[in-house]
Amino acid sequence: MPFQLIHGDITKIRCDAIVNAANESLLGGGGVDGAIHRAAGPELLAECRTLGGCRTGQSKLTKGYRLPADYVIHTVGPIWQGGRSGEPELLCSCYRTALSLAAENGLETVAFPLISAGAYGYPEQEAQRIAVQTIAAFLETHPDMTVTLVIYDGTPDRRRSWYPEISELLDRAGKSGSGQSGSAFSGAQKAAKPRRRLFRNMNFAGAVRKETADTAAEIAADAEYCMAEPMPAAVPASLKEELLHADESFTQMLLRLIDAHGMTDAECYKKANIDRKLFSKIRSDIHYRPKKATAIAFAVALELSAEETEDLLRRAGYAFSPSTPFDIIVLYFIKTGNYNVFEINEALFAYDQVLIGA
Ligand code: APR
């Protein structure tokens, strides 16, 4: 997967280069800087002394010494001063210069901590947003690189507070681990009853797509009804079209949709956060059976509706379920029209779910 988020300690990551959140002296400090110097050993500091420091927003390369990583890229993030002193641009420059330095030196696997989000006081959500967007943009033109954002403090609740609507959906499904009990959609079922007829001719995904203004809870409640009783298959917009492709494999449907959407293969697999080599494997195997997260990544890249996504999933032997956090979160983004695979992965990461892509 070209870009992923993980929980962990960056000093333990085996890759071509880990990035250090250093200060302009490059002579070590606390936080991740201190951890990297401790793990690398004194030779790292000795080499840093020869570099003559580093300006904020810039990056410099050293060996990794006793670290599992071969190299360390030292970058200096901005100190947060309220956001009006060029901090966003400087933080963006940290990721861009570090990745450029890696690419120039043929380093293909890079791991970052969340630069400036510790002692330098950068608000974590904004720091993560800049990291994700800058890394994703860089990977657009460097499809052979793999980048990991390593989040050290495993306190998921803070990240979940960034997604109040998703938390509400998951709480109602009793899936957010917030101690809420009760059935998936308790309390909202009565509200959904009058509307049940509305979904008579839709499957779950179609129903979710249809309701644009509903509260999260009502949508979830309707979904329950849609799954509770066998619904007649949705009457597809063009029955002939549907029948024409009724027995398509996953690969056949994927390749047809890529063409139908006027996308190139590369545009699609990059937007899906799918590795180029894996895409080639899928393209050459008409019976390829992807993981569910891979199939959904392609649906997101193609910006399919919930119903079309369900059809593509079916070709790979999967279906949506309104009671799993992963499906609820993915459907929330599809229904709200946000097809940014990296933003979807930030939310999935906040709820300890599998990320989409491969
Ligand atoms: N692995 C991954 N991430 C880590 C680790 C680790 N072992 N240790 C800390 N972090 C995370 C923090 O949780 C934070 O999200 O790194 C992020 C950056 O925090 P800091 O290390 O405090 O770096 P920063 O905010 O950029 O401040 C840099 O602090 O340590 C000094 O010398 C450094 O002066 C510089 C300043």
Side-chain angles (χ1 to χ4, degrees), residues 80-234:
W80 179 252
Q81 303 171 67
R84 288 186 176 33
S85 312
E87 298 97 315
E89 295 73 19
L90 284 167
L91 185 57
C92 185
S93 173
C94 285
Y95 290 96
R96 216 180 11 249
T97 55
L99 287 169
S100 300
L101 198 51
E104 286 153 21
N105 288 276
L107 308 179
E108 291 191 346
T109 55
V110 182
F112 282 93
L114 210 48
I115 309 291
S116 284
Y120 279 3
Y122 213 109
E124 192 173 27
Q125 184 172 4
E126 194 40 38
Q128 182 172 307
R129 174 53 37 91
I130 288 175
V132 171
Q133 286 176 344
T134 310
I135 293 167
F138 190 88
L139 289 173
E140 275 283 313
T141 51
H142 297 78
D144 291 331
M145 287 183 76
T146 300
V147 180
T148 302
L149 187 57
V150 183
I151 304 298
Y152 184 61
D153 41 355
T155 48
D157 286 357
R158 193 165 62 241
R159 278 181 164 67
R160 293 181 186 179
S161 67
W162 302 348
Y163 305 95
E165 287 188 317
I166 291 177
S167 291
E168 183 193 344
L169 267 175
L170 294 174
D171 282 349
R172 297 198 76 83
K175 301 288 177 188
S176 65
S178 57
Q180 300 261 343
S181 58
S183 94
F185 308 103
S186 60
Q189 287 179 348
K190 286 189 272 320
K193 237 187 193 61
R195 272 209 302 264
R196 208 164 143 203
R197 284 182 306 291
L198 184 61
F199 301 139
R200 185 152 298 291
N201 286 332
M202 279 186 187
N203 56 24
F204 163 66
V208 170
R209 183 168 53 82
K210 175 102 182 106
E211 285 306 291
T212 48
D214 273 3
T215 65
E218 287 168 315
I219 295 165
D222 292 342
E224 163 97 325
Y225 279 101
C226 289
M227 299 305 280
E229 289 184 17
M231 283 280 179

Side-chain angles (χ1 to χ4, degrees), residues 48-68:
C48 284
R49 287 190 197 288
T50 67
L51 297 177
C54 181
R55 277 184 302 112
T56 298
Q58 298 304 306
S59 300
K60 292 197 175 175
L61 181 74
T62 67
K63 291 192 199 69
Y65 299 104
R66 298 176 198 170
L67 286 161

